[in-house]
Amino acid sequence: MPTSDLVDVHAHVLPDWYVDAAKAAGHTVPDAMPGWPDWSVDAHLAMMDQVGITQSIVSISSPGVHFGDDDAGTALAVEVNDFMAGLHTAHTDRFGFFAALPLPDVDGAIAEARRTAGVPGRAGVGIESNGHGTYLGDPSLEPLWQELSAQRAVVFIHPTAPPAFDPALVGFPAPLLEYLFDTTRTIVHLATAGVLVRHPDIRFVVPHCGAVLPSMISRVELFRAAGMISGEGDLGWERLWFDLAGAPLPDQLGAFTRRFGADHLLYGSDFCFTPAGAVDMLAAMLDQGWPEEHGEWRKVVGANATNLFKDALHPAR
């Protein structure tokens, strides 16, 4: 097992009762993927030991906890968050969690953010790239940003299918392409709405090595300069944090580091939606192909995680 203080900020729990609730709400498969993966605590810990992950900050993946009904979404968020808090209690040095928020129910999201704020193991909150078509720069979310700013919260953004996604028309499951574009869409929405600058105490974590954001920023700035979109002054791009989930090598990482460097880069496995064998393979690719000018990747992302979370996490030593 490789030795490092590697913190995995993009990893998912998938208890059977959550899958049952999602299926009952019509999500028979997650975003047109072939099926729901298996997950267990023992399998998660075994993957961590194999890859050399000290601690996983777990979250719920797409489609989140809000399936169309506010009350049911709040109840499922409470159940999910209490489960993840219990996982931390049972394995204090191995698991933290991002609390699920039932967006687009803003009041319910604020209530759950407050309820979980002092819960041991909470490293921040997790939200989807859109809540039934409400993207993260929408003015309706401003009360939530005010609350999370007061908490100085880390906000982990996870992609979900865009509104009206139809795999029969697209031909692919949403995670292949739509996740990357929906992530980029919502981050640009956040930035041009001024949220990143207005709430500098919120630390937003963008998944999948920035998705396609690094190659799109110059286009956004061009449209902004031409007066075709809103946004004034510094949009706050440099305040963002990013994870390495997905397939950053051999192509994506170079474009990312040219634009953002490596100071805000974190590790992400995307387990259990990425199988343990693939997680191990991707980590080995980073071991072999990480750009040498940025230092040893495990040390870099480990130090970055320590910097981001500070006292929120207590990895085993």
Side-chain angles (χ1 to χ4, degrees):
M1 181 186 79
T3 57
S4 61
D5 290 327
L6 200 59
V7 176
D8 184 356
V9 305
H10 188 150
H12 302 300
V13 296
L14 203 59
D16 291 341
W17 48 264
Y18 170 81
V19 175
D20 291 342
K23 288 180 176 178
H27 298 278
T28 54
V29 294
D31 290 340
M33 291 289 282
W36 291 93
D38 294 326
W39 177 85
S40 71
V41 176
D42 288 345
H44 203 134
L45 289 169
M47 179 279 298
M48 292 169 65
D49 290 342
Q50 175 65 30
V51 177
I53 298 168
T54 304
Q55 189 168 35
S56 284
I57 306 175
V58 295
S59 58
I60 284 291
S61 182
S62 176
V65 294
H66 193 294
F67 302 141
D69 178 87
D70 286 353
D71 290 340
T74 295
L76 186 57
V78 170
E79 189 174 9
V80 162
N81 293 335
D82 287 352
F83 173 82
M84 293 190 293
L87 189 60
H88 169 76
T89 299
H91 305 275
T92 305
D93 291 332
R94 306 307 304 275
F95 291 107
F97 71 99
F98 288 123
L101 302 185
L103 289 176
D105 176 11
V106 175
D107 290 341
I110 291 172
E112 190 60 9
R114 289 174 177 169
R115 187 187 76 89
T116 59
V119 174
R122 198 197 87 162
V125 302
I127 56 178
E128 265 60 51
S129 53
N130 77 83
H132 301 287
T134 298
Y135 282 89
L136 300 184
D138 193 281
S140 66
L141 300 184
E142 181 60 20
L144 176 62
W145 303 139
Q146 291 175 1
E147 173 61 33
L148 295 175
S149 180
Q151 294 185 18
R152 296 181 58 85
V154 174
V155 177
F156 173 67
I157 298 171
H158 193 278
T160 190
F165 169 71
D166 185 347
L169 296 177
V170 175
F172 304 113
L176 177 62
L177 296 175
E178 303 304 322
Y179 272 18
L180 301 183
F181 289 108
D182 211 63
T183 295
T184 303
R185 180 180 296 112
T186 210
I187 297 303
V188 171
H189 203 219
L190 270 175
T192 57
V195 175
L196 302 181
V197 174
R198 195 160 60 248
H199 298 292
D201 288 333
I202 301 176
R203 279 72 53 81
F204 289 96
V205 178
V206 183
H208 300 125
C209 207
V212 295
L213 182 65
S215 62
M216 295 300 296
I217 285 180
S218 59
R219 186 172 179 85
V220 173
E221 295 293 355
L222 175 64
F223 271 60
R224 188 164 68 117
M228 300 171 68
I229 60 172
S230 62
E232 297 180 359
D234 173 26
L235 295 185
W237 304 120
E238 308 308 322
R239 295 187 172 100
L240 295 169
W241 295 74
F242 303 87
D243 75 46
L244 282 164
L249 289 173
D251 301 312
Q252 191 180 12
L253 186 59
F256 174 87
T257 54
R258 281 193 298 273
R259 178 58 182 81
F260 288 106
D263 291 344
H264 279 197
L265 198 52
L266 307 160
Y267 174 69
S269 70
D270 210 356
F271 185 80
C272 57
F273 287 85
T274 299
V279 173
D280 195 25
M281 177 192 72
L282 291 167
M285 291 176 68
L286 287 166
D287 286 333
Q288 298 163 12
W290 175 263
E292 293 181 359
E293 63 268 25
H294 294 295
E296 200 280 310
W297 78 270
R298 291 174 181 267
K299 293 180 180 178
V300 169
V301 298
N304 290 346
T306 298
N307 183 34
L308 175 60
F309 295 106
K310 294 185 169 56
D311 296 332
L313 296 176
H314 305 282
R317 300 286 177 177

